[in-house]
């Protein structure tokens, strides 16, 4: 089977990539500023809602119900879409999905397509596959355009160019669009408007993703801000929508939950500027040919795992990225995947489906397990639990290593109170290595820890010893 | 060999996901609503809002402009002094218009959203997309309090466009900037 393009070929393991990213002070500054801004605004948008927790619970339950009835609901969606003049295609993996989309483009004699930002098409590396087949894909979302023109890789689910600041964006636009532009965000947005206008008005085929698909009506929903989505969904003659099989909701009513959860979690708005909903084909309005491509690409394998499957509840809001202390420092590209951050750390390895892949197996360790991601997740994905679950899988796949031996020793030590106490006493001897209360260099295997950070010196006596002496 | 469809459906069945408990909808389904809240929320996203009692009078602001008027716009809205552009209109004609005047299907007070469904006085989706200025007339009785109330009033199979303020982006340093591809000016007339 072909490798899953959800991870980028040749990416180093997370610790190696993170090490390099941590040295990039510009990147850290850009990320601190952007995530800091959005964190505050999200908290304010959520605080307005007195029923936020009830919405989260409902969001979780609706998505769990979707996963439990996925086969029935997909067949229902297919029937509804077909009844309204759409054509539904099924793809087992990325290669099959890409071939379907390329064939559809060729059937329309298209050499160019306009694209709405879509995680599903990024996951299957559709642009590269189309390019190889002689079809040029034009990204129309501002951040996607910045990434595409900068020959760069995405680093965030919502804002793939979050690692770029305004002056870097200005430089990319001047170089690739051949225009003079200031670094004012409004001027940069205007430059993108002018650059893409002609494309919107003349391109015959558009490719989109989907935020939601409603099984009982066949309606597809796309949330966006700029109007590039509306352009792509309205003006071309043919629309091809690529969607992961888990993006369903059972009924139209269920949208009332997600249309409240997603904008506030994602862009910290009460509602995003534009949401488009279409059902098959509407005579006289919008594309007259509509294709829906449903992709598996590792999702059914993820569904098998009773702990890991909750990752499929994800609605791609990116709130977990914005609150993650690890993401803020390493940036998204260190994860080597279109899905970075906490959700990426649990989703990517599951979609790859091979814990013998050292890069994928390193991702569940890209976390301090602080739990901030779970707290903000609008569909209550318990990311820390899935992380530890996947770590166990990674360890199992790896077999016996220095780390697993150390962990086994720790388990043996923690299992008995007297052994634990003896170990603590031994540990306090490490004080002799400390200077100014910090240990900067431990002998192996402790050196694995101290090569990138200090350890506070252990106290003279353990809490247990102190307690026995004073209170016992 | 099984088709992709059959194989994916079989893989899902093989995953044997246990049935989920019934969904508990403990969230609020109704909002306070009202013209005042709607006006405040629309304005929050830098749309221009006016509360008016006489639509034709308020449309004097369009005089001297080339404005698209979709099928079903009331005769009395077509005031003198405006070049009204009527269907059928080409993409170029829409792109060259100064603006578009529409009604709406539903509005949402809680979020400051207007919803178009291609019905009377709204037209096909391109009409409200290509002109750089959108003037939308909302009757007070069209304003729903909350997102759940509004969704219940919609016909899901019509082509729907939810609009909350003018086109914007948060893609540069996660700060909201108004004005990208959609209309850069959104003006809302609330009729009481």
């Amino acid at each position: 089977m072909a490798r899953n393009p959800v991870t980028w070929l040749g990416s180093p393991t997370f610790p190696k990539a993170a090490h390099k990213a941590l040295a990039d002070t510009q990147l850290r500054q850009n990320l601190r500023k952007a995530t800091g801004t959005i964190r505050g605004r999200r908290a304010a948008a959520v605080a307005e809602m007195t029923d936020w927790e009830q919405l989260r619970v409902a969001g979780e339950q609706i998505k769990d119900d979707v996963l439990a009835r996925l086969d029935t609901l997909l067949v229902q969606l297919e029937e509804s879409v077909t009844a309204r003049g759409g054509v539904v295609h099924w793809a087992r993996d990325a290669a099959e999905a890409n071939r379907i989309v390329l064939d559809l483009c060729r059937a329309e004699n298209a050499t160019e397509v306009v694209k709405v930002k879509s995680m599903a098409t990024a996951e299957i590396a559709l642009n590269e596959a189309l390019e190889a087949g002689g079809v040029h894909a034009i990204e129309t979302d501002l951040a996607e355009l910045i990434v595409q023109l900068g020959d760069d890789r995405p680093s965030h689910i919502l804002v793939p160019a979050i690692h770029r600041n305004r002056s870097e964006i200005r430089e990319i636009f001047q170089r690739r669009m051949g225009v003079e532009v200031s670094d004012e965000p409004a001027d940069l947005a205007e430059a993108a408007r002018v650059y893409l206008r002609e494309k919107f008005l003349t391109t015959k085929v558009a490719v989109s993703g989907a935020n939601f698909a409603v099984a009982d009506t066949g309606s597809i929903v796309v949330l966006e801000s700029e109007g590039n989505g509306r352009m792509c969904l309205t003006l071309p003659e043919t629309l091809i929508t690529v969607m992961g099989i888990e993006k369903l909701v059972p009924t139209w009513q269920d949208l009332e939950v997600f249309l409240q959860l997603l904008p506030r979690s994602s862009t910290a708005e009460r509602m995003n500027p534009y949401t488009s909903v279409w059902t098959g084909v509407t005579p006289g309005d919008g594309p007259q040919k509509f294709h829906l491509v449903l992709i598996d690409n590792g999702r059914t394998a993820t569904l098998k795992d009773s702990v890991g499957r909750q990752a499929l509840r994800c609605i791609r809001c990116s709130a977990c990225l914005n609150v993650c202390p690890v993401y803020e420092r390493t940036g998204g590209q260190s994860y080597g995947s279109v899905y970075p951050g906490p959700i990426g750390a649990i989703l990517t390895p599951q979609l790859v489906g091979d814990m013998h892949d050292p890069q994928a197996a390193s991702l569940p360790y890209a976390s301090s397990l602080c739990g901030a991601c779970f707290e903000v997740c609008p569909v209550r994905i318990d990311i820390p639990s899935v992380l530890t679950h996947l770590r166990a899988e990674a360890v199992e796949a790896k077999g016996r290593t220095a780390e697993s031996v150390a962990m086994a020793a720790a388990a043996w030590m923690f299992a008995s109170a007297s052994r634990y106490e003896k170990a603590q006493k031994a540990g306090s001897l490490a004080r002799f290595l400390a200077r100014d209360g910090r240990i900067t260099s431990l002998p192996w295997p402790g050196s694995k820890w101290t090569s990138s950070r200090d350890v506070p010196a252990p106290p003279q006596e353990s809490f247990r010893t102190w307690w026995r002496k004073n209170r016992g | 060999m099984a088709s992709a469809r059959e194989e994916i459906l079989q893989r899902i069945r093989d995953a044997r996901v246990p049935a989920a408990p019934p969904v508990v909808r403990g969230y609020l389904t109704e909002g306070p609503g009202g013209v005042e809240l709607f006006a405040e929320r629309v304005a929050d996203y830098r749309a221009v809002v006016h509360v008016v009692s006489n639509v034709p009078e308020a449309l004097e602001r369009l005089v001297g402009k080339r404005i698209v008027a979709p099928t079903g716009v009331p005769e009395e809205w077509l005031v003198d002094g405006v070049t009204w552009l009527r269907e059928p209109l080409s993409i170029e004609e829409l792109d060259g218009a100064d603006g578009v005047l529409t009604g709406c299907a539903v509005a949402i007070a809680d979020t400051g959203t207007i919803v178009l469904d291609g019905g009377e006085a709204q037209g096909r989706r391109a009409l409200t997309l290509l002109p750089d200025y959108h003037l939308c007339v909302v009757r007070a009785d069209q304003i729903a309090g909350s997102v759940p109330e509004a969704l219940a009033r919609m016909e899901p199979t019509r082509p729907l466009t939810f609009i909350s303020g003018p086109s914007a982006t948060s893609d540069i340093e996660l700060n909201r900037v108004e004005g990208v591809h959609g209309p850069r000016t959104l003006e809302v007339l609330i009729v009481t």
Side-chain angles (χ1 to χ4, degrees), chain A residues 54-212:
Chain A
Q54 288 88 337
L55 284 166
R56 286 179 78 212
V57 170
E60 170 187 15
Q61 292 176 336
I62 292 167
K63 280 292 184 177
D64 278 349
D65 178 41
V66 166
L67 298 181
R69 296 191 289 137
L70 194 53
D71 54 341
T72 320
L73 291 171
L74 282 168
V75 170
Q76 193 188 5
L77 176 74
E78 182 184 47
E79 280 167 10
S80 331
V81 170
T82 309
R84 300 277 309 186
V87 183
V88 178
H89 309 258
W90 301 68
R92 281 164 280 218
D93 55 24
E96 191 167 28
N98 290 334
R99 198 167 53 242
I100 292 168
V101 178
L102 181 60
D103 286 346
L104 291 170
C105 292
R106 284 182 173 157
E108 300 301 325
N109 294 317
T111 53
E112 271 191 338
V113 298
V114 281
K115 274 189 74 201
V116 194
K117 177 175 163 20
S118 138
M119 291 310 296
T121 62
E123 171 193 319
I124 61 174
L126 176 66
N127 291 8
E128 291 78 357
L130 289 181
E131 205 75 56
V135 178
H136 178 55
I138 303 159
E139 291 291 352
T140 64
D141 168 75
L142 182 52
E144 287 285 6
L145 182 67
I146 296 164
V147 168
Q148 190 175 43
L149 293 180
D151 295 317
D152 201 354
R153 277 179 164 158
S155 69
H156 192 271
I157 289 173
L158 174 73
V159 188
I162 196 172
H163 56 291
R164 298 289 194 185
N165 65 24
R166 58 184 74 190
S167 65
E168 293 171 284
I169 297 167
R170 171 183 185 235
E171 188 277 319
I172 292 167
F173 277 15
Q174 298 207 139
R175 185 159 47 82
R176 295 297 304 271
M177 293 178 182
V179 293
E180 273 299 313
V181 60
S182 83
D183 67 356
E184 275 304 307
D187 289 345
L188 293 167
E190 167 71 19
R193 179 185 171 100
V194 172
Y195 179 76
L196 289 171
R197 193 80 180 178
E198 179 68 19
K199 297 291 178 197
F200 286 135
L201 301 187
T202 55
T203 307
K204 303 291 181 211
V205 178
V207 176
S208 87
N211 289 104
F212 305 101

Side-chain angles (χ1 to χ4, degrees), chain A residues 315-329:
Chain A
I315 54 173
R316 312 281 189 263
C317 72
S318 70
C320 63
L321 279 61
N322 299 333
V323 298
C324 178
V326 175
Y327 175 86
E328 185 180 322
R329 284 161 184 84

